[in-house]
Each structure stands twice: as C-alpha cells, then as structure tokens.
Amino acid sequence: MGIVSENVAASPEAAPVEWLTLSDLVEVLGEPLGRVRRLIDDHHLVGSRRTGVFAVPSVFIVDGHPLSSLRGTVIVLQDAGFSDDELIDWLLAEEESLGRSPIASLLAGHKSEVRRLARTLA
C-alpha cells in the first residue's frame, strides 16, 4: 500500500498518522473507485492533499468501513467554518476537555460529546 505517515497533531508525542490514498481506499474498503469518491463527496470520509496526493487518515476506517459517526461530525465542523485540513487536524489532536483526541472519543462511541464540543467552535 502507498501509506504516507505524517505527524498532524500539534503535540510532539502524538503518533504519526497513516494516510490512505484513493487506491488504498479501494483496496481497504473493497469498493470501486466511484463508490469511494461518493463516500468522500457525501462526507462519510474526509481527506487532504497536504502530502501532495489526496489521502484519508486510516483511523477513519474501522473494520473495512468508514467510521459511522464521522459523517455527522464532519458536517458539524464544516458548518462551523472548518476546512477539511482544519477539521482533520482537530479530530486528530488531543482535546483537553475530552481528555483525548476527538477521533479517539468517536471510536469509543462518544459522538454526542464530540459533536457538542464541535458546535461550540462555530
């Protein structure tokens, strides 16, 4: 796979982020490229071109599917005026009020808490 690692989070001790390119997503999701693009267009996934090529953080994929709570959270952050790069950074960075990163909270099933916090950022 063409996985690219980059440390996106602000804290130096944060783990590097693994990024999945579109071809990686086709393989990981087991979906054709058109379907992968639709998942991105419909905000089920969000990515960035910060590495030169469009890629999505691998943590947004759980058991071969987009994290189900990601879409609504992405929409809330976009409504708050966040760009895709900004919302990815926010999701991956440690959030003091949560005691962990927002993506870690989403993975733990705490989407209401994350979205409530995201709404205060507008």
Side-chain angles (χ1 to χ4, degrees):
M1 270 192 211
I3 298 174
V4 180
S5 291
E6 179 181 315
N7 188 349
V8 176
S11 62
E13 66 277 355
V17 174
E18 291 186 15
W19 294 83
L20 301 174
T21 63
L22 287 175
S23 59
D24 296 332
L25 288 168
V26 166
E27 184 178 325
V28 170
L29 297 172
E31 298 284 353
L33 182 59
R35 173 77 174 128
V36 171
R37 289 185 189 278
R38 177 173 222 121
L39 288 170
I40 294 164
D41 290 345
D42 292 345
H43 310 293
H44 292 279
L45 291 171
V46 63
S48 172
R49 291 191 183 278
R50 70 180 76 204
T51 61
V53 63
F54 183 84
V56 172
S58 62
V59 71
F60 293 172
I61 307 291
V62 177
D63 296 329
H65 300 283
L67 176 63
S68 62
S69 57
L70 185 64
R71 183 175 190 264
T73 306
V74 166
I75 291 169
V76 168
L77 291 166
Q78 288 174 335
D79 288 349
F82 280 58
S83 69
D84 287 350
D85 282 336
E86 291 169 335
L87 73 86
I88 290 169
D89 289 346
W90 184 80
L91 286 166
L92 299 176
E94 187 75 18
E95 178 57 50
E96 188 177 316
S97 63
L98 296 172
R100 57 185 163 187
S101 67
I103 193 66
S105 290
L106 290 176
L107 290 166
H110 301 283
K111 74 178 180 183
S112 296
E113 183 180 11
V114 172
R115 290 183 188 168
R116 190 171 20 259
L117 179 59
R119 283 187 200 97
T120 68
L121 302 173

